[in-house]
Amino acid sequence: MEQQRVRQRQRSLTTTLSTTGLRRRNLAKTEYVSAIYRASFFMYPLCMLGSHKDHRRAQSGALLATYGLHRAIPQLQRTRWEITYRNAVVGVDVSAILVSIGLRQWWGSAPGDAALTPILAVAASLLWISALVVNRAWDSRVLGQGSQEFNRLFRALGFSTVVLALVALGLQLAELRPWVFGVLPIACLLTVVGRYILRQRLHRRRDRGECLHQVLAIGTEEAIADLISRTRRDPYTGWTVAAACTPTGAGTDGEDSVLGVPVVGDLDSAASAQRNGGFRAVAVAAAPGWTPKRLHQLSWDLEGTGAELVVDPGLMEVTGPRLHVAPVDGFPLLRLTAPDFTSTSFLVKRALDGIGAVLLLVVLAPLLIAIAVAVKCDGGPVFFRQTRVGRHGREFRMIKFRSMVEDAEARRAELTATNDSDGPLFKLHRDPRITRIGAILRRYSLDELPQLLNILSGSMSLVGPRPPLPAELRSYTRDAYRKLLVRPGLTGLWQVSGRSDLSWEQSVRLDLRYVENWTLATDLLILWKTLRAVVTGAGAY
């Protein structure tokens, strides 16, 4: 009886998803066509680049269906917000090159430039647009998320600059110098700024649960629950798990859902669930009985639907340059390289730490003096020194502006019972030991600024994991010890991802993610995000 009830619920959910998916596809198709016709005459050829790709994909699907290789499946169409966002991105890119050309006189001109200006303006515009197309800078899979979108912009800049420079060199045209060193770089800069503004608007909408791609998750109840939790913690990726398929066809504890997400079938019904629901992506996690052959079959079933197939490799917190695909006789192997903490990039990081610390100390000197005077007037010493553990377990004295009463460490024992943090951390939302000046300093992380001296001494870095106390090491597990492979940082992923609001498990996970996937680009991104986190004061107490 219980199995019959489960099957009945699955049929009901599948019917609902089928009706909803069909309605969504028809609506999306109508909105897609109407958006193309609403576009201006100038933008029409650019907007149609994506529609031609969809048309070719639909033709290939129909052709394969003719030969019986797979069933003719309705094509997923771009939703209204995707069309609007992509058109806005194209408009920003084209406007950037036009504005840069209009401001050309700001970075000089060459002899005879006026006669060639109209021709060079058209050529530069076409070259910039062509470079964006060649480098797939308008690919909807990278728009609005990740660093790949901006990497493709910089590749487009390099491509267009090299082409124009070679033309100038070959034809001995001195008139092209302002265009190579001025117009194209400024156009790229304006494009980056414009896309960043669009991305922030998109992220705000995704925070409200809008502009998200629906995902069908396949795997065990535990694996699906983990994926649901991750997508909810990070809505900026644009994913929301809308349905699930489990080995038993049921959710946690025999229910028909996992964390509120309906279970629409077992592993064998994944392909039909995708067709009925019209999901944008199918995410496959670990599941008993899920063999490579079944995964291959699922990939064939999804061909021509426009849905992406993503597979969880089972490597927690490892991404980016450490992952490589190494095929052996047609069998793809995922090669995981060891993290390198002695490379040239780390030497560059250390040099940037020193230069950055000196510059910040010079620029912030008036602010540092003002804070020191305010802390002194509040009574007691200006600085607070505490023993922390750095790289390879070496202890050092970390310096901060004093934000608590002088006997704060002695009073900690009596407050242990009211600890608001889990794990070895000690945090109180309303710590009675914090002074009036200290509350302001902590909210905006100004008490951390003296750590620039620790960076100059080499015991800390601008970006890195949180420096732990010696007492915390006694409760560390093996994974937590890995954070000691690099220097602790003045800021880090923990600083820009919630600060004191994070649980112990979350803070360890973020520190490990940084250690396992460190790059110079990651450091620059964290420094940029730190500015916003400090200004808003979110998660600080």
Side-chain angles (χ1 to χ4, degrees):
M1 291 295 294
E2 180 64 25
Q3 292 180 352
Q4 291 178 354
R5 284 196 296 269
V6 171
R7 282 196 293 270
Q8 186 176 0
R9 287 196 299 267
Q10 290 173 1
R11 284 195 296 269
S12 176
L13 287 169
T14 302
T15 303
T16 302
L17 287 171
S18 177
T19 306
T20 304
L22 182 60
R23 188 184 302 115
R24 182 164 59 248
R25 285 194 297 270
N26 291 337
L27 179 61
K29 183 176 181 179
T30 303
E31 291 172 343
Y32 179 72
V33 175
S34 63
I36 290 297
Y37 280 104
R38 284 197 305 268
S40 63
F41 179 79
F42 178 75
M43 301 295 295
Y44 178 80
L46 302 177
C47 297
M48 288 302 293
L49 289 173
S51 65
H52 289 164
K53 183 178 180 180
D54 292 339
H55 180 65
R56 290 195 302 269
R57 185 179 294 164
Q59 284 183 326
S60 64
L63 181 62
L64 289 173
T66 302
Y67 288 96
L69 295 181
H70 63 72
R71 294 179 293 275
I73 301 172
Q75 299 294 303
L76 289 176
Q77 301 290 345
R78 290 188 178 91
T79 55
R80 184 174 182 176
W81 72 264
E82 287 182 278
I83 301 165
T84 303
Y85 189 81
R86 189 173 185 274
N87 289 347
V89 169
V90 174
V92 163
D93 296 349
V94 175
S95 300
I97 185 66
L98 296 179
V99 170
S100 183
I101 292 173
L103 300 176
R104 185 188 70 263
Q105 62 271 17
W106 284 24
W107 36 83
S109 59
D113 185 42
L116 292 177
T117 294
I119 299 176
L120 293 178
V122 173
S125 300
L126 293 177
L127 180 60
W128 177 241
I129 294 173
S130 300
L132 293 173
V133 173
V134 169
N135 289 277
R136 297 179 297 165
W138 293 333
D139 189 343
S140 59
R141 289 173 295 183
V142 302
L143 293 181
Q145 60 184 15
S147 60
Q148 195 172 5
E149 176 182 6
F150 297 109
N151 289 340
R152 294 187 182 187
L153 284 180
F154 294 135
R155 288 204 301 267
L157 172 63
F159 173 84
S160 55
T161 301
V162 168
V163 170
L164 201 59
L166 289 176
V167 171
L169 183 63
L171 300 180
Q172 297 295 311
L173 292 176
E175 294 87 347
L176 288 177
R177 283 200 303 269
W179 298 81
V180 173
F181 298 106
V183 172
L184 291 179
I186 295 299
C188 183
L189 177 62
L190 294 175
T191 300
V192 169
V193 173
R195 288 202 183 199
Y196 178 78
I197 295 173
L198 290 177
R199 176 180 288 202
Q200 294 305 305
R201 294 180 59 187
L202 177 63
H203 286 181
R204 285 194 293 270
R205 296 190 64 183
R206 284 178 170 173
D207 271 334
R208 300 194 298 266
E210 305 172 5
C211 303
L212 298 173
H213 295 302
Q214 292 195 333
V215 178
L216 172 66
I218 303 173
T220 62
E221 293 85 349
E222 294 77 12
I224 292 175
D226 180 66
L227 178 61
I228 294 172
S229 300
R230 288 176 179 271
T231 54
R232 289 175 179 174
R233 283 197 305 262
D234 188 11
Y236 298 157
T237 57
W239 278 17
T240 178
V241 179
C245 291
T246 64
T248 62
T252 308
D253 298 327
E255 299 291 333
D256 57 1
S257 64
V258 178
L259 296 183
V261 175
V263 177
V264 296
D266 56 16
L267 301 183
D268 292 326
S269 58
S272 60
Q274 193 283 327
R275 289 194 297 272
N276 294 330
F279 302 103
R280 179 53 60 90
V282 177
V284 180
W290 192 259
T291 61
K293 183 177 180 180
R294 296 180 72 174
L295 182 62
H296 209 169
Q297 182 64 50
L298 178 62
S299 68
W300 291 340
D301 292 336
L302 296 180
E303 286 180 1
T305 66
E308 291 183 291
L309 177 63
V310 292
V311 181
D312 175 14
L315 297 173
M316 299 295 290
E317 311 299 346
V318 179
T319 59
R322 292 185 57 198
L323 293 180
H324 310 273
V325 177
V328 177
D329 192 26
F331 182 71
L333 296 176
L334 196 61
R335 180 163 55 90
L336 177 63
T337 58
D340 186 6
F341 303 114
T342 59
S343 62
T344 304
S345 297
F346 255 76
L347 297 178
V348 174
K349 175 183 172 68
R350 179 63 195 128
L352 293 178
D353 284 340
I355 296 173
V358 170
L359 291 177
L360 288 174
L361 285 172
V362 172
V363 173
L364 299 176
L367 177 62
L368 294 173
I369 294 173
I371 294 175
V373 171
V375 174
K376 188 64 178 178
C377 292
D378 198 39
V382 173
F383 297 108
F384 171 73
R385 294 174 175 84
Q386 190 177 44
T387 301
R388 297 291 180 111
V389 181
R391 189 181 184 190
H392 301 318
R394 289 191 292 266
E395 296 184 355
F396 68 97
R397 298 285 286 176
M398 189 180 73
I399 310 173
K400 300 174 66 175
F401 281 124
R402 185 178 59 83
S403 59
M404 291 185 175
V405 296
E406 294 185 63
D407 60 342
E409 289 298 306
R411 294 174 55 184
R412 175 174 173 174
E414 63 188 54
L415 299 172
T416 303
T418 59
N419 186 14
D420 292 327
S421 178
D422 59 346
L425 296 179
F426 181 79
K427 288 286 184 180
L428 294 176
H429 282 85
R430 291 177 175 84
D431 197 323
R433 302 172 298 169
I434 298 177
T435 63
R436 288 178 300 175
I437 296 297
I440 300 175
L441 298 181
R442 282 172 168 255
R443 177 171 178 80
Y444 299 103
S445 297
L446 298 176
D447 59 322
E448 313 271 358
L449 290 179
Q451 294 172 28
L452 292 170
L453 300 175
N454 292 118
I455 296 174
L456 284 179
S457 67
S459 54
M460 290 184 65
S461 176
L462 284 175
V463 182
R466 172 188 166 275
L469 292 165
E472 296 176 10
L473 297 184
R474 290 194 292 268
S475 59
Y476 269 22
T477 56
R478 180 180 179 183
D479 54 350
Y481 268 108
R482 289 189 63 81
K483 66 191 297 185
L484 301 181
L485 293 174
V486 298
R487 291 184 179 88
L490 176 65
T491 184
L493 282 177
W494 48 273
Q495 179 87 339
V496 300
S497 304
R499 302 163 83 177
S500 297
D501 287 336
L502 297 173
S503 66
W504 167 249
E505 181 183 355
Q506 290 173 330
S507 63
V508 170
R509 178 172 55 84
L510 291 173
D511 283 339
L512 286 179
R513 182 185 301 174
Y514 176 81
V515 172
E516 300 290 350
N517 306 291
W518 174 86
T519 62
L520 284 173
T522 301
D523 277 7
L524 295 176
L525 182 61
I526 291 175
L527 289 172
W528 169 254
K529 290 185 175 182
T530 298
L531 180 61
R532 183 175 60 182
V534 169
V535 170
T536 59
Y541 51 84

